Amino acid sequence: MSPATKSKSRSAANAKPPLIRDLERVIDPRFVIWRPEDLLVYEYDGSIDRSIPAAVTVPGSAEETAAAVRIAKRHGVPVVPRGAGTGLSGGAVPLRGSLVVAMTRLNRILEINAENKIALVEPGVVNVELSNAAAEYDLYYAPDPSSQKACTIGGNVAENAGGPHCLAYGVTTNHVLGLEVVLADGSITWLGSDMREAPGYDLRGAFIGSEGTLGIATKIAVRLLKTPEAVQTMLAAFRSLDDASQAVSDVIASGIVPAALEMMDRTTIDACETVYRPGYPPDAQAVLIVEVDGLAETVAEQSAKIETLCTGNNASEIRRAQDPQQRADLWATRKGAIGAMGTLAPNYYLVDGVVPRTKLRDALAKVMEIGAELNLKIANVFHAGDGNLHPCILFDERDPAQVRRVIECGERILEMCAEAGGALSGEHGIGIEKQAYMPLVFTEADTQAMSRLRPAFGAEESFNPGKVFPGGAVHGETYGVKETGFHRTGTADVI
Amino acid sequence: MTPARVERPNSLDDLSKALAEAHRQGLACIPVGGGTRLAAGNTPERYDVAIDLAGMSSMIDHVPGDLTAVVDAGVRIQRLQEILATSGQRLPFEIAHPHKATVGGALASNPLNLTGILFGSIRDWVLGMKVVLADGTTTKTGGRVVKNVQGYDLHRLHTGAFGTLGVIAEVALKLLPIPDTTRTVAAWFASSQDAAVAAKTILDSPIEPEALTILAGPEAQPGTLGAAQPKDGIAGSTAALLARLAGGPAAVSRQVDMVTGAAGAAAADGYEIIYPQEAEPLWAIARGESFDPNGLTARITVKPSAIPNLLEEIEKRGAAGLTKPPSYAAHPGFGAAIVNWPLAKDQDARDAARFAFTMAERHRGHAVIETCPAAIKPEIDVFGTIGPSLEIMKRMKQQFDPARILSPGRFAGRI
């Protein structure tokens, strides 16, 4: 470093807030971000809410993460952990002038233990990269959120992420054996272990899905599954949404739990046709993507049965993926469906709610009814097998009246889910977006009981303040500039 | 220990009132389900009131189309399975003594799941709960749909907490269809090491048994295996391997061939292919039901790859030190073994407990003493060593039960 640069950086250091100076003592200053123009990219995630952080740091180890937490605590600044920022409920939006601790540099797969079918990873590992690395051993990591090419395992842990294949294989909590975490006092400890059971309270299970409010995971031990010997992915087109819904029910009633069971409605098909040109039948009002996997005999038997059940429900066309490329294409269309919405409207708002599977048909009808009443067009693309709806409300953010109707529409859909005995979120989390709706499903005593976890973890409000529980922030309020900020369509959004 | 009185709530409301009253009086309460796990845990500091949940067993709300059921905590596992079976469904986890054990008791005490190789732990099938807290407050966590990320997963915390954070009153469970066809292959071997070799061949193949267990020792001898007697000429066998295979008929047939082939290649003395009903007594042994209840039973968790070595050490120690040799059911697919040592004297229990903890430590795993003589309990923490997260657990207890009326001292770290 030349003397000139040295003196220049010294003069800049004079303007630095004390928090920054302290962080730079333990973390490479290149990874301590504090200039207002640099902070802008950290004010939002995949949701509509925004809030500017006090600073951002990108630690290079668990120890640096712990140091950052201790420094923030000393300065009375709350900490917000961040993965890839693909979250859809505002979990990574830093409220109350927080320090964002971004885990993206901790991105090593530390170990794949093929014999014991486990992997030890750092939180910044991108979801799909773990399965790619495990493929060499004929193993894979089951949770596969649609954002898997971008989202991180650490973020998946925070949100207890799902994905199309969680119908048969469960969500993140069913695959994480243990975690190394940094607690609010800056100590590092293990929750769970790298084996099936660990004695004591299941702190691992309490931590997963806590949306970054209890600590920061710095290492994650996960189960890997054997790559199935055979896979069959099928597409079935139907002339009515009802027929498709009935086919879903019939498949489950037949005693088959497919690896995935996804549905897209006509509006979604239109969007996909424009972008991906999959050539679905023009009269299809709904398509199902069904995947079965396992032993070759099981796959053959189950796919034949599914084909019969779809035909019995007036499927107008059934296609079977003949090779891995065709299978990949079927999934690319499904996982890219949200991204294709740009062809239909300037903006969309993606709602995540769950109803019991047996109420799927009624719920879909109600979603469309609510949309019609509010004069809003809704595209549906969702995990039909587990009743996880993803109504995608299409609109134009330049019309403030429309934006208000969009918020109301989302609210009414969640109310409907709650009334049907479902959930406010199947996989996106509560974050900022849904905290006001928690009373729809939980009493004050319920949330009171949940709030005891924070002091037990020593976290109080020092991690991700203003999230999950009612009263933290109001959806949309934190978002600064008038009515913009909803998803602009055409981005690589994912569900 | 004997409580001064027994409360028998018949409803959520009864339970809430009983706990609120005990809380006012500062009386220590222990929830009781089927009574199959009363011997588990450390000796409680105090025991004033038994909360017998057997009366809370009327609700079984099964929705086959959702593959879910919401049930009262006092419902017995076997009864639930029978009801679910009428719709072709089942609870995928299998624990010891299903005729007696209750859903609430199973969740609270988190026993070993026989089908862990394919279906994980008991907690993986819990979608939500109603729990009555120490002061009588009724709370709900999770929900009854299979995907749900609203709020903290408190039901995971209550699972395996031995009722020290609250009393489980109602549970929402995720279910699976019963497979078309199920067969058990039992193979007999001259040594457990041979059985382990066969197990590894099976685990490395594309097939996935629902359950895979190595049995050995006097209480789990091939000759004592109930309905399935070994064929002639294999009386010298000391270990058995049980594999349960399920699916469509074609898939099961191929899996059976694969397993018998693996057994043959590992020098099995013989094997049998057994229909489900006849296989049930064997699986009862695999769940540890035949073990000596007055002995010391340890549940040892290690990495699956450590199982052969662990079994060798158990057998060596059994022959050399303790008065009587141990019996065990080991699960090489997910790295767990239930080991039972018959005891001639209290010192045997001390030696066996020390041995179990040493083995766990050597393999960087965990051991929990599930049954042992009361006399040695004050000398050990039956849950073994917890590590630094014990501090969080203690604060958790303080948060949920500051008056320490729920099973005080019974849990890990004498929480």
Side-chain angles (χ1 to χ4, degrees), chain A residues 217-228:
Chain A
T218 44
K219 285 190 186 73
I220 302 158
V222 302
R223 287 168 67 189
L224 299 173
L225 303 185
K226 281 187 206 175
T227 306

Side-chain angles (χ1 to χ4, degrees), chain B residues 278-301:
Chain B
E278 286 77 52
E280 175 46 30
L282 278 76
W283 289 112
I285 298 173
R287 295 191 297 259
E289 290 177 25
S290 66
F291 291 164
D292 177 2
N294 299 315
L296 181 139
T297 305
R299 174 181 178 180
I300 304 176
T301 304

Side-chain angles (χ1 to χ4, degrees), chain B residues 44-386:
Chain B
E45 286 158 23
R46 297 171 287 133
Y47 186 12
D48 303 310
V49 185
I51 312 261
D52 180 351
L53 292 145
M56 283 181 64
S57 59
S58 50
M59 183 186 59
I60 298 178
D61 179 8
H62 176 208
V63 185
D66 289 338
L67 285 166
T68 61
V70 180
V71 305
D72 278 335
V75 172
R76 291 182 204 279
I77 301 273
Q78 185 61 30
R79 184 175 153 235
L80 177 59
Q81 294 285 31
E82 282 162 13
I83 290 168
L84 301 176
T86 61
S87 306
Q89 296 184 357
R90 63 171 169 167
L91 199 54
F93 64 76
E94 291 180 35
I95 62 162
H97 306 292
H99 294 273
K100 286 174 78 182
T102 62
V103 171
L107 264 53
S109 67
N110 192 30
L112 180 133
N113 171 26
L114 178 69
T115 60
I117 183 172
L118 211 49
F119 301 133
S121 300
I122 290 175
R123 69 172 73 90
D124 291 315
W125 300 92
V126 180
L127 300 172
M129 279 181 189
K130 275 187 185 157
V131 175
V132 180
L133 301 183
D135 63 358
T137 310
T138 301
T139 61
K140 177 191 146 183
T141 141
R144 67 169 301 166
V145 283
V146 292
K147 267 173 94 179
N148 183 340
V149 293
Q150 51 190 16
Y152 294 148
D153 277 0
L154 284 184
H155 43 290
R156 308 217 180 274
L157 209 51
H158 290 294
T159 302
F162 277 83
T164 52
L165 299 175
V167 179
I168 300 169
E170 193 183 298
V171 184
L173 298 158
K174 187 173 151 181
L175 310 171
L176 282 182
I178 296 174
D180 287 348
T181 310
T182 302
R183 292 289 181 273
T184 292
V185 175
W188 287 273
F189 296 85
S191 86
S192 63
Q193 295 305 304
D194 291 344
V197 168
K200 183 159 165 39
T201 308
I202 295 163
L203 291 165
D204 287 345
S205 79
I207 73 160
E208 294 204 301
E210 279 191 359
L212 184 69
T213 309
I214 298 171
L215 298 176
E219 307 284 329
Q221 274 238 349
T224 67
L225 292 184
Q229 294 297 330
K231 294 223 166 68
D232 292 341
I234 53 175
S237 307
T238 64
L241 178 70
L242 303 181
R244 193 201 286 161
L245 310 154
V252 169
S253 152
R254 184 175 138 215
Q255 293 184 84
V256 166
D257 289 350
M258 198 274 146
V259 168
T260 54
D269 297 327
Y271 65 82
E272 273 187 69
I273 301 162
I274 307 164
Y275 284 84
Q277 283 203 333
E278 286 77 52
E280 175 46 30
L282 278 76
W283 289 112
I285 298 173
R287 295 191 297 259
E289 290 177 25
S290 66
F291 291 164
D292 177 2
N294 299 315
L296 181 139
T297 305
R299 174 181 178 180
I300 304 176
T301 304
V302 294
K303 289 209 174 76
S305 59
I307 286 285
N309 193 246
L310 176 72
L311 300 186
E312 198 180 5
E313 284 163 325
I314 290 169
E315 285 162 13
K316 248 195 281 175
R317 183 71 177 87
L322 295 161
T323 321
K324 292 178 184 173
S327 304
Y328 61 78
H331 307 274
F334 56 98
I338 302 279
V339 191
N340 175 260
W341 283 273
L343 307 168
K345 50 190 189 300
D346 280 352
Q347 189 54 41
D348 284 354
R350 285 186 192 96
D351 290 348
R354 194 175 311 117
F355 177 72
F357 288 132
T358 308
M359 282 303 104
E361 205 176 312
R362 183 170 303 164
H363 295 287
R364 294 181 36 250
H366 319 281
V368 173
I369 309 300
E370 301 211 311
T371 63
C372 71
I376 76 151
K377 278 200 176 181
E379 301 165 23
I380 54 168
D381 182 333
V382 300
F383 292 93
T385 317
I386 304 291

Side-chain angles (χ1 to χ4, degrees), chain A residues 116 174 194-197 201-202 213 226 229 297 357-358 383 386 388 424-425 427 446 450 453 456, chain B residues 65-66 110 116 121 123-124 139-140 147 149-150 152 164 203 205 207 254 303-305 364 366 395:
Chain A
N116 291 309
N174 306 118
D194 57 354
M195 293 172 203
R196 198 56 80 77
E197 298 291 337
Y201 294 136
D202 184 14
T213 58
K226 281 187 206 175
E229 171 185 271
E297 293 87 345
R357 177 171 36 228
T358 44
H383 313 302
D386 42 32
N388 191 176
L424 300 175
S425 174
E427 53 189 10
D446 301 338
M450 290 177 193
L453 258 65
Chain B
D66 289 338
N110 192 30
S121 300
R123 69 172 73 90
D124 291 315
T139 61
K140 177 191 146 183
K147 267 173 94 179
V149 293
Q150 51 190 16
Y152 294 148
T164 52
L203 291 165
S205 79
I207 73 160
R254 184 175 138 215
K303 289 209 174 76
S305 59
R364 294 181 36 250
H366 319 281
R395 289 198 297 264

